[in-house]
Amino acid sequence: MIEFWYEFASTYSYPAAMRIERLADEAGVAIAWRPFLLGPLFHEQQGLRDSPFNVVPVKGKYMWRDLERVCEEEGLPLVHPSQFPRNALLAARVAIVGLEDGWTPAFSKKVYEANFVADQDISSPEVLAPLVEEVGAAPEAVFAAAQGADVKARLKDHVEQAKARGVFGSPSFITADGELFWGNDRLEQALDWAQRHATREHA
Amino acid sequence: MIEFWYEFASTYSYPAAMRIERLADEAGVAIAWRPFLLGPLFHEQQGLRDSPFNVVPVKGKYMWRDLERVCEEEGLPLVHPSQFPRNALLAARVAIVGLEDGWTPAFSKKVYEANFVADQDISSPEVLAPLVEEVGAAPEAVFAAAQGADVKARLKDHVEQAKARGVFGSPSFITADGELFWGNDRLEQALDWAQRHATREHA
């Protein structure tokens, strides 16, 4: 098993979300989807109130070009969002709601496509409602749950867990034996690690 | 051809320097070794006066663990240096001196091993002198040249060139058509790009 920690505003998390199911399936490794928010970590760990890709323009310029190459190689469409980063709070809460019923992976991929392909404002309930419907859930009930105290607390707990595990970026992958891998370009390595150290799970 | 931009204090540049000749040879791509200094860029682009891995401890902790895994996978020894980052000014100047006579690659690999395997202070002439000898050059003459105005100016020019090309970290690879790739984990991709876009060089 690996935990997939992801923030919806994060650029490299888009290709990671689109690739992880196929690669994990090939590796015979289960995925625990762990939506979280990167903003509180960026602020607490690095004193940032914006994406590092905005704060350091030379890194931002490189990242967008690199992301183009990564997506091209994977055959994934990419549209530079007109707003970056977008507020992912509501989408993350909705993703928490879907965990029990199993529609979080499908919903999460749709949110990434809305942000990085359709260039839509993923903080808007009007944008998210059709995505919830498309995965077979009822937007009204889902949004009500997403704004409830329980889901808010669970998302906060995800952020705290991420921090406690040493996460500082998205996507991050954590194996059952606690190895942390950061970045879309570490996904294969994380799965390989999980495969080679799977004895605990079967013990 | 690809340009290999590297700073001797940089952790991930160690495996890159040890891998690049074999991989470039397999790809049929020539390497232009480009020693530079990252400090001035960190300061100018990010306002940093220390390595980001020291400034943000959670990233530093991850980096050292990730570097262990990377080196283990490559069969490279690694000793966490007792001082990080080390001042690489003299080593970079010496590397500039060696470019014309072709001993810069061999010398550079020895400097990385001194820093990241032998845990030696690569800012010290006493540490560097034997390495210069081992690659067949005369330390006294080399150090005299390294402190000369010409070499100082050439290293400054490398730093300016790096900045102008969008470099912000080490190792960086730049192809003949101007594509920038950052990080040891982008070396294969950079070589692949250089191979696929080599027409200009042969035109």
Side-chain angles (χ1 to χ4, degrees):
Chain A
M1 190 272 294
I2 63 168
E3 297 174 359
F4 169 36
W5 291 86
Y6 62 100
E7 141 81 54
F8 284 116
S10 153
T11 51
Y12 287 108
S13 304
Y14 160 50
M18 305 311 278
R19 299 186 322 123
I20 193 168
E21 289 170 304
R22 176 174 49 83
L23 293 171
D25 189 54
E26 286 168 12
V29 171
I31 313 161
W33 291 64
R34 292 283 181 267
F36 78 112
L37 299 173
L38 202 42
L41 270 61
F42 276 163
H43 183 235
E44 190 169 326
Q45 296 168 339
Q46 305 193 43
L48 297 173
R49 293 191 177 276
D50 192 357
S51 163
F53 296 126
N54 291 340
V55 174
V56 183
V58 69
K59 294 190 83 162
K61 190 184 167 194
Y62 172 79
M63 178 278 289
W64 289 110
R65 177 61 186 141
D66 189 53
L67 187 68
E68 276 178 12
R69 291 188 304 231
V70 167
C71 288
E72 196 176 304
E73 183 146 335
E74 289 295 324
L76 293 170
L78 173 70
V79 171
H80 192 129
S82 52
Q83 191 195 344
F84 175 80
R86 287 195 163 109
N87 185 326
L89 178 62
L90 180 59
R93 285 178 178 163
V94 170
I96 296 274
V97 174
L99 285 172
E100 273 179 43
D101 291 339
W103 50 259
T104 299
F107 171 75
S108 298
K109 289 186 286 180
K110 286 180 185 296
V111 173
Y112 281 113
E113 288 175 328
N115 196 1
F116 295 109
V117 183
D119 189 19
Q120 290 179 311
D121 181 3
I122 59 164
S123 72
S124 153
E126 286 72 36
V127 166
L128 296 182
L131 310 185
V132 171
E133 270 191 326
E134 285 169 28
V135 300
E140 206 172 323
V142 165
F143 286 131
Q147 303 294 5
D150 173 59
V151 166
K152 288 181 180 180
R154 283 167 66 195
L155 180 56
K156 270 191 191 166
D157 179 60
H158 274 206
V159 174
E160 286 306 310
Q161 270 188 54
K163 199 178 83 177
R165 311 281 288 282
V167 169
F168 56 89
S170 175
S172 288
F173 312 100
I174 305 180
T175 61
D177 57 342
E179 285 287 320
L180 171 65
F181 296 85
W182 170 50
N184 172 60
D185 51 16
R186 287 292 188 281
L187 173 54
E188 283 84 350
Q189 197 188 351
L191 289 169
D192 184 55
W193 187 282
Q195 224 178 0
R196 285 187 290 121
H197 298 75
T199 40
R200 276 185 200 202
E201 294 174 61
H202 303 300
Chain B
M1 193 272 294
I2 62 167
E3 297 173 0
F4 169 36
W5 291 85
Y6 61 102
E7 140 82 52
F8 285 116
S10 152
T11 51
Y12 287 109
S13 302
Y14 159 50
M18 305 310 278
R19 299 187 322 125
I20 192 169
E21 289 171 303
R22 175 174 50 83
L23 293 172
D25 189 56
E26 286 169 11
V29 171
I31 313 161
W33 291 63
R34 292 282 180 268
F36 78 113
L37 299 174
L38 202 43
L41 270 61
F42 276 163
H43 183 233
E44 190 170 325
Q45 295 167 340
Q46 305 192 43
L48 297 174
R49 292 190 178 276
D50 193 357
S51 163
F53 295 126
N54 290 340
V55 174
V56 183
V58 68
K59 292 189 85 163
K61 190 184 167 195
Y62 173 79
M63 179 276 290
W64 289 110
R65 176 61 186 142
D66 189 53
L67 187 68
E68 278 177 9
R69 291 187 303 231
V70 167
C71 289
E72 196 177 305
E73 182 145 336
E74 289 295 324
L76 293 170
L78 173 70
V79 170
H80 192 129
S82 52
Q83 192 194 343
F84 175 81
R86 286 198 163 106
N87 185 324
L89 178 62
L90 179 60
R93 284 178 179 162
V94 170
I96 296 275
V97 174
L99 285 172
E100 275 179 41
D101 290 338
W103 50 260
T104 299
F107 171 75
S108 298
K109 288 185 286 180
K110 286 179 186 297
V111 174
Y112 280 114
E113 288 175 328
N115 196 1
F116 295 109
V117 184
D119 189 21
Q120 291 180 309
D121 180 5
I122 58 165
S123 73
S124 154
E126 287 71 38
V127 166
L128 297 182
L131 311 185
V132 171
E133 270 190 326
E134 285 168 27
V135 300
E140 206 173 321
V142 165
F143 286 131
Q147 302 296 3
D150 174 58
V151 166
K152 288 182 180 177
R154 284 166 66 197
L155 180 57
K156 270 192 190 164
D157 179 59
H158 273 207
V159 174
E160 285 307 309
Q161 271 187 54
K163 198 177 84 177
R165 310 281 287 285
V167 170
F168 55 88
S170 176
S172 288
F173 313 99
I174 305 182
T175 62
D177 58 340
E179 285 286 321
L180 170 66
F181 296 86
W182 170 50
N184 172 61
D185 52 15
R186 289 290 190 279
L187 173 53
E188 284 84 349
Q189 197 189 352
L191 289 169
D192 184 57
W193 187 282
Q195 224 178 0
R196 283 186 291 122
H197 298 76
T199 41
R200 276 186 198 202
E201 295 174 59
H202 304 298

